[in-house]
Amino acid sequence: MILEYLKRSTNVLLASHKNPDGDAVGSSLALGLALKSLGKTVTVYNESRLPAVFRYLPEVELLTQTPGCIDDYDTAVILDCGDLSRIGNLHKSIENIHILLNIDHHQTNTRFGKARLIKPEACSTSEIIHDLIMDLGAEITTDIAFAIYTGIVSDTGSFRFSNTTRKSFEICADMVEKGANPYIVAQNIYSPYSLGRIKLLNMVLESIEVSKNGKLSLMSLTQRMLRETGTNAEDVNGLVNYAKHIEDVRVAAFIQEAETQAREQIKEDETLYYVSLRSDGTIDVSSFAASFGGGGHSTAAGFTTLSSFSALKDNIMRLADAL
Ligand code: 5GP
Ligand code: MN
């Protein structure tokens, strides 16, 4: 079904979630390049600026923050988004694009769109895109291989997370065969931290609290920390792993004060927070996230909520009782 829609498409908008990770960037760039090679007009959109760590990707200039006139597209492909609103502010107009396709690997996917390709067993959306490009009969060029390799390495935490399978290795081996250079990818996505990011890390580590039973850790970040260290949203990527790294901890939560415009501040004692959750598999954090309107995978999930800090912290700390 998806294959037929893609073959028939002429002017395609690809979009992935804002604050993109390697899988969002890799899967959308790979599919964008493949569709272009098949003669389609392609725009690869993301609401956020491309994180500096992904600038090494060949043909990355294809990614844009300005999608042009939404009415001109006959097809939209939404990648790596558990629900449509994950793409950001434009989701309401993008929803009206005639053929809306949903390609994702989150188990909490809301199944939006005219046709779907949702595989929770896939380690990444990039894995799904790899298979789709083969099915489309497009060539996996070196540029595409770099994008797919980056997506898989990012979402499997370099083959360390529980979503890593034989297939993850097989595709990556093939991508290396096609020219992706693992050393270049690793050098970039695990590049040295700026001094500001090290100082930010110091601050968030200072904030760590552990539940009484020692099984849940909670770390927090404020906008003030970003200002004081001269860092920004992309410097926050991956910091949650430090909270997860503590001995005996089974679930880690990272509460981040979101950047908001003044008009979004509703009540004085409430702030908009984004919460990242990580689990060792003991409990499914995606269902907890879903109860706050978010989602994700059983071992990595997130949600956005308007709350006071102490109420949010109490809510999350209660999770420790189930551990
Ligand atoms: P992270 O903590 O890395 O931002 O997100 C962890 C996982 O949860 C990712 O796979 C991400 O796509 C998913 N996720 C984070 N926030 C949300 C959300 O608000 N809604 C949904 N459906 N998934 C989310
Ligand atoms: Mn992903």
Side-chain angles (χ1 to χ4, degrees), residues 37-292:
S37 77
L38 296 173
K40 317 286 182 192
T41 304
V42 179
T43 301
V44 186
Y45 167 75
N46 197 286
E47 181 175 291
S48 312
R49 199 172 49 132
L50 179 76
V53 291
F54 301 123
R55 278 194 208 130
Y56 69 94
L57 281 166
E59 298 289 338
V60 79
E61 315 75 50
L62 192 60
L63 269 67
T64 178
Q65 286 178 272
T66 45
C69 182
I70 300 295
D71 293 342
D72 291 346
Y73 298 103
D74 52 79
T75 306
V77 187
I78 313 301
L79 298 134
D80 206 35
C81 292
D83 63 69
L84 190 62
S85 68
R86 297 269 294 145
I87 56 183
N89 289 325
L90 281 185
H91 74 271
K92 289 215 172 78
S93 50
I94 289 178
E95 192 169 20
N96 294 323
I97 295 177
H98 188 52
I99 306 288
L100 188 71
L101 308 176
N102 171 356
I103 304 181
D104 185 34
H105 69 128
H106 293 97
Q107 65 194 17
T108 56
N109 190 288
T110 56
R111 310 194 62 79
F112 62 87
K114 201 174 189 82
R116 293 156 289 276
L117 188 55
I118 299 161
K119 295 191 167 181
E121 70 280 11
C123 71
S124 57
T125 302
S126 299
E127 173 180 323
I128 304 172
I129 291 303
H130 167 269
D131 295 357
L132 186 64
I133 292 175
M134 305 278 278
D135 291 344
L136 280 166
E139 187 195 346
I140 302 214
T141 59
T142 297
D143 298 349
I144 292 177
F146 259 106
I148 291 173
Y149 182 91
T150 297
I152 294 180
V153 167
S154 301
D155 255 27
T156 60
S158 290
F159 312 106
R160 289 170 303 159
F161 300 157
S162 57
N163 56 349
T164 307
T165 62
R166 178 186 174 128
K167 188 166 178 182
S168 327
F169 286 106
E170 281 172 349
I171 296 175
C172 283
D174 195 39
M175 295 305 98
V176 174
E177 177 75 29
K178 295 199 162 54
N181 183 324
Y183 183 64
I184 291 179
V185 176
Q187 285 285 299
N188 282 279
I189 63 177
Y190 302 117
S191 57
Y193 281 23
S194 64
L195 182 60
R197 194 173 187 202
I198 290 288
K199 291 190 167 166
L200 179 69
L201 172 63
N202 185 37
M203 287 177 180
V204 296
L205 292 178
E206 265 310 317
S207 78
I208 288 180
E209 292 175 52
V210 175
S211 62
K212 280 205 184 74
N213 64 8
K215 292 181 180 174
L216 184 139
S217 68
L218 203 147
M219 193 165 90
S220 51
L221 171 130
T222 60
Q223 287 294 319
R224 188 176 165 176
M225 291 178 186
L226 296 178
R227 282 195 300 276
E228 284 182 359
T229 57
T231 50
N232 57 46
E234 65 192 71
D235 292 302
V236 179
N237 277 341
L239 295 184
V240 63
N241 292 317
Y242 289 93
K244 192 187 164 199
H245 222 66
I246 305 165
E247 198 175 17
D248 296 330
V249 160
R250 296 188 171 281
V251 171
F254 184 21
I255 303 179
Q256 301 159 45
E257 183 188 344
E259 199 183 358
T260 48
Q261 267 94 56
R263 63 184 162 79
E264 288 180 61
Q265 295 291 348
I266 297 174
K267 289 185 204 160
E268 227 170 65
D269 57 341
E270 286 190 334
T271 305
L272 193 66
Y273 291 104
Y274 176 69
V275 179
S276 273
L277 298 161
R278 296 292 183 271
S279 163
D280 69 346
T282 308
I283 60 161
D284 175 356
V285 284
S286 74
S287 54
F288 181 74
S291 71
F292 285 88

